[in-house]
């Protein structure tokens, strides 16, 4: 029967099977379906591979990582109740949002997913591939061809924002009155700003992020870590060991874990499998931090200014 049907024009148009009337006209496939090579809508029954799971983990971890970074930058007392309660609260907000998002999607009530495989970058932007019949009639076939990798991130951010509104006031009420300061409010507002920005970025750049998130993770992690140590004035090994040691060690370990995840994603996308030889690349993850600590004194603005003054003095004496 399928061979007798005229193939739909358009990359993502398909026919839907109706029990009463047979195959429908060419249209967009329902949610959770995708058109196959015969342009027939087939249910998504694949499971996300490791690279796709790591992509979802990356998107789910973005609000948490940005929130923790703001907490650590705005609150200089690592052991204060405000820092501990905020970090625990933000972790439960992101963790609960991720779990609820997984439970809602098929198979419902399970922490697994049924998905459609990503074939090419255009799968993320089906709205730009609606066919035009005889240059007059446009068939709207926009759909989520990468179900549920696109929509589940929006749902996760929605749940994360809802958990923020529900849990953060409770966390605030648990603080002793001396700890209820403006820094807590600054962190809360920063988190509220992050969510709509992340939603907008995902809506426009989801396909680009899917293919480039390991490299973006490496870049942003190194940049965020350097920003943190500069803000906290802990740019040498001596300063790291002298004050707030546990705080700085926590950031360093978090930095290394995220870099390791990024390296594993790059290995999977490049070699399609993990072997012990490929995992040797993980030994490179401490290099950015080591390079930063060893070369900071050469880029210290104070030292550069002193060297410039010395050079100017030498030039004046020579003249």
């Amino acid at each position: 029967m399928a061979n007798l049907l005229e193939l739909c024009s358009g990359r993502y148009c398909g026919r839907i099977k109706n029990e009463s009337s047979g195959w429908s006209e060419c249209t967009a496939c329902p949610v959770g379906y995708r058109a196959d090579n015969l342009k027939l809508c087939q249910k998504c029954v694949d499971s996300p591979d490791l690279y796709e799971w790591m992509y979802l983990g990356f998107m789910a971890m973005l609000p948490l990582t940005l929130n923790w970074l703001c907490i650590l930058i705005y609150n200089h007392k690592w052991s204060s109740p405000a820092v501990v309660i905020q970090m625990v609260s933000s972790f439960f907000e992101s963790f609960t949002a991720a779990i609820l998002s997984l439970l809602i999607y098929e198979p419902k009530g399970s922490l697994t997913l049924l998905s459609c495989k990503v074939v090419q970058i255009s799968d993320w932007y089906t709205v730009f591939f609606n066919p035009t019949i005889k240059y007059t009639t446009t068939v709207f076939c926009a759909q989520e061809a990468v179900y549920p990798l696109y929509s589940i991130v929006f749902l996760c951010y929605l749940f994360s924002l809802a958990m923020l509104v529900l849990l953060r006031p409770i966390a605030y009420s648990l603080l002793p009155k001396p700890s209820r300061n403006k820094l807590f409010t600054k962190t809360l507002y920063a988190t509220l700003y992050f969510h709509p920005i992340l939603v907008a970025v995902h809506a426009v750049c989801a396909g680009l992020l899917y293919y480039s998130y390991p490299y973006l993770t490496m870049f942003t992690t190194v940049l965020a870590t350097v920003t943190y140590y500069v803000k906290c004035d802990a740019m040498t090994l001596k300063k790291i060991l002298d004050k707030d040691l546990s705080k700085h060690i926590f950031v360093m370990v978090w930095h290394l874990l995220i870099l390791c995840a990024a390296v594993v994603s790059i290995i999977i996308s490049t070699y399609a499998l993990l072997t012990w030889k490929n995992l040797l690349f993980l030994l490179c993850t401490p290099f950015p931090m080591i390079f930063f600590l060893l070369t900071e004194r050469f880029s210290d603005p104070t030292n550069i200014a002193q060297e410039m003054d010395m050079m100017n003095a030498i030039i004046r004496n020579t003249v």
Side-chain angles (χ1 to χ4, degrees):
M1 179 62 182
N3 294 331
L4 300 178
L5 295 173
E6 181 182 354
L7 291 179
C8 298
S9 58
R11 189 176 300 180
Y12 299 100
C13 295
R15 299 181 188 271
I16 305 172
K17 177 68 173 180
N18 297 320
E19 295 182 359
S20 57
S21 58
W23 295 99
S24 68
E25 296 295 327
C26 295
T27 184
C29 294
V31 176
Y33 288 76
R34 177 172 178 169
D36 60 10
N37 294 332
L38 297 176
K39 302 298 181 180
L40 304 178
C41 294
Q42 303 293 343
K43 186 176 179 60
C44 298
V45 294
D46 295 321
S47 297
D49 56 25
L50 181 57
Y51 183 86
E52 292 169 345
W53 277 116
M54 297 191 73
Y55 165 76
L56 293 177
F58 165 77
M59 298 304 295
M61 292 286 287
L62 273 179
L64 176 63
T65 303
L66 294 174
N67 198 2
W68 277 2
L69 181 63
C70 288
I71 293 172
L72 295 176
I73 288 177
Y74 287 137
N75 298 271
H76 299 293
K77 295 182 178 179
W78 166 247
S79 58
S80 66
V83 173
V84 176
I85 291 178
Q86 285 182 91
M87 295 189 70
V88 172
S89 176
S90 60
F91 173 79
F92 276 105
E93 291 161 11
S94 299
F95 180 77
T96 305
I99 295 299
L100 290 177
S101 301
L102 291 176
L103 293 176
I104 287 179
Y105 276 82
E106 295 288 345
K108 296 183 183 297
S110 173
L111 297 180
T112 59
L113 288 175
L114 295 179
S115 66
C116 294
K117 290 297 181 183
V118 180
V119 179
Q120 51 194 343
I121 192 171
S122 62
D123 295 344
W124 296 85
Y125 304 102
T126 58
V127 69
F128 298 114
F129 296 90
N130 293 321
T132 301
I133 309 301
K134 296 182 179 179
Y135 304 98
T136 57
T137 305
T138 301
V139 180
F140 295 97
C141 296
Q143 58 186 284
E144 187 182 5
V146 294
Y147 174 88
L149 301 182
Y150 188 70
S151 58
I152 195 174
V153 176
F154 290 116
L155 185 63
C156 181
Y157 289 165
L158 176 62
F159 279 137
S160 178
L161 189 59
M163 291 297 105
L164 170 69
V165 175
L166 291 175
L167 298 181
R168 201 60 68 91
I170 299 176
Y172 183 78
S173 66
L174 296 176
L175 291 174
K177 288 186 178 180
S179 299
R180 300 179 184 180
N181 50 33
K182 293 182 180 180
L183 298 179
F184 190 98
T185 307
K186 281 185 177 182
T187 305
L188 178 61
Y189 285 160
T191 308
L192 291 174
Y193 282 124
F194 283 146
H195 281 81
I197 293 174
L198 291 176
V199 168
V201 171
H202 176 66
V204 177
C205 305
L208 300 176
L209 289 174
Y210 176 80
Y211 289 101
S212 62
Y213 82 88
Y215 308 97
L216 291 176
T217 300
M218 296 180 66
F219 174 77
T220 55
T221 301
V222 173
L223 181 62
T225 306
V226 171
T227 301
Y228 163 78
Y229 281 108
V230 171
K231 287 285 186 180
C232 296
D233 191 23
M235 295 175 287
T236 63
L237 186 60
K238 181 180 179 182
K239 291 182 178 179
I240 290 176
L241 297 176
D242 283 348
K243 63 177 186 177
D244 293 331
L245 176 61
S246 60
K247 177 181 177 181
H248 300 326
I249 294 298
F250 173 81
V251 174
M252 192 176 299
V253 172
W254 185 251
H255 160 86
L256 292 177
L257 289 176
I258 295 180
L259 279 183
C260 288
V263 171
V264 170
S265 299
I266 293 174
I267 292 173
I268 296 172
S269 63
T270 305
Y271 299 102
L273 74 162
L274 293 175
T275 64
W276 68 269
K277 292 182 179 180
N278 294 336
L279 291 177
L280 291 177
F281 286 108
L282 295 177
L283 298 176
C284 300
T285 53
F287 286 175
M289 179 59 63
I290 296 174
F291 179 80
F292 169 72
L293 295 176
L294 292 178
T295 60
E296 188 279 332
R297 62 190 182 92
F298 297 110
S299 58
D300 190 341
T302 304
N303 295 337
I304 295 176
Q306 292 177 353
E307 292 177 359
M308 290 297 296
D309 293 339
M310 293 177 59
M311 290 295 297
N312 292 332
I314 293 174
I315 293 174
R316 286 195 300 269
N317 292 334
T318 303
V319 175

